[in-house]
Amino acid sequence: MAAMQKTWIGVIAGVTLALAGCGTGGDPQAPAMSSPVRPSSTTSSSTAPVAIPPTRGVPTAAATVRPSASTPAPPGPPPTPATGTVILRTATLSGLPVPGVPVYLSLQQPCDPAGHDIPVGETTETRRLDGVTDSSGLAAFTTVTGCYRFGMTAPAGTDPVPEGMHTLFLVDQGATVTGQLRFQDTSPEPAPACAESTIETELGVDPAPAADISECDGQWAVISWTVPGDNQRIITRTSGTWTTYVLFPHTTCWDTAAADGVPDRLRPYFNC
């Protein structure tokens, strides 16, 4: 009986070992029962960090992304346009300045200033500058290089020369170009004989003090100046020049004055 029990125990042990061997795939070192290993919720301070190599072609956070050599550079600021000076001059044909003339300068585009030609009907005004000539008949403008038309508004009483359309060309940086606007010369009107400047010039007296002119008919006059003392005089104009007839006080009698041609209206200035 005891022998039979030992025999059965050996059979059962063999079957058990056979079943265990089938469960491990023939690996005698594998454990009979394997359970999944769960990671601990805490990491020991002695555990060293594991370095993960970067994936090929994918930059890591620390990698620097460099632009491709074919990337175009950003555009820079536009170039500063070249500038120069345009002077418009208003004068007579003999060269006398004509001041106080309204003038204008008109930039025409598209146009090549080096060609010195503004095609009619192919350009338009893109900029206009206005000014007035000074006492020397000049008006200056600082402006960009280019092709320009210019002109004026002739003041009343002037006689501008009919010269058609005026053009000029400012080609180089810093250059100065002058445009001419011309007027006919007019004969100056003769100064009135009774004008203070005429009398003082012809008498040769100081023109600084103000003069009081009375009884002037272009031939005879009475004049005095606003300075201390008695400086009144009667003057006469002979041969186109004023001369002194009598200074006050005087002793010339009326009979003598009348014989000299003094008009009757000046008789109160004589005593005898």
Side-chain angles (χ1 to χ4, degrees):
M1 189 66 178
M4 292 179 64
Q5 290 178 348
K6 291 181 179 179
T7 300
W8 281 105
I9 291 172
V11 172
I12 294 171
V15 172
T16 302
L17 290 174
L19 292 173
C22 293
T24 60
D27 185 1
Q29 295 181 357
M33 296 293 290
S34 63
S35 58
V37 179
R38 300 181 181 275
S40 173
S41 59
T42 59
T43 303
S44 173
S45 60
S46 63
T47 302
V50 178
I52 301 175
T55 304
R56 184 181 299 274
V58 179
T60 63
T64 301
V65 179
R66 300 183 181 277
S68 171
S70 61
T71 303
T80 303
T83 59
T85 302
V86 172
I87 297 176
L88 299 184
R89 181 171 183 261
T90 53
T92 66
L93 293 174
S94 65
L96 297 176
V98 180
V101 180
V103 295
Y104 70 86
L105 192 61
S106 174
L107 177 62
Q108 301 290 310
Q109 291 179 334
C111 181
D112 178 15
H116 284 211
D117 178 51
I118 301 178
V120 177
E122 299 180 17
T123 62
T124 58
E125 179 183 279
T126 59
R127 185 180 185 187
R128 181 184 173 102
L129 301 172
D130 294 274
V132 178
T133 56
D134 60 15
S135 59
S136 299
L138 303 176
F141 303 90
T142 299
T143 186
V144 298
T145 55
C147 305
Y148 289 88
R149 299 190 191 280
F150 65 96
M152 65 178 172
T153 301
T158 60
D159 186 9
V161 176
E163 295 178 308
M165 192 174 295
H166 295 82
T167 60
L168 59 81
F169 304 91
L170 186 59
V171 180
D172 301 318
Q173 164 70 26
T176 298
V177 179
T178 301
Q180 298 280 351
L181 295 164
R182 303 188 299 172
F183 294 81
Q184 302 286 356
D185 284 284
T186 56
S187 299
E189 296 181 1
C194 293
E196 179 180 350
S197 59
T198 302
I199 295 174
E200 291 175 336
T201 299
E202 294 179 2
L203 289 178
V205 298
D206 183 5
D212 178 19
I213 303 170
S214 61
E215 306 291 345
C216 183
D217 60 2
Q219 185 67 36
W220 292 87
V222 178
I223 186 171
S224 62
W225 290 268
T226 56
V227 292
D230 191 354
N231 55 60
Q232 189 177 50
R233 66 179 71 181
I234 295 176
I235 58 177
T236 183
R237 186 175 176 85
T238 58
S239 302
T241 302
W242 288 102
T243 59
T244 300
Y245 178 68
V246 291
L247 289 170
F248 288 83
H250 66 85
T251 58
T252 303
C253 293
W254 172 244
D255 291 342
T256 303
D260 292 335
V262 177
D264 189 64
R265 59 186 174 80
L266 297 182
R267 184 170 184 170
Y269 294 95
F270 298 87
N271 296 326
C272 56

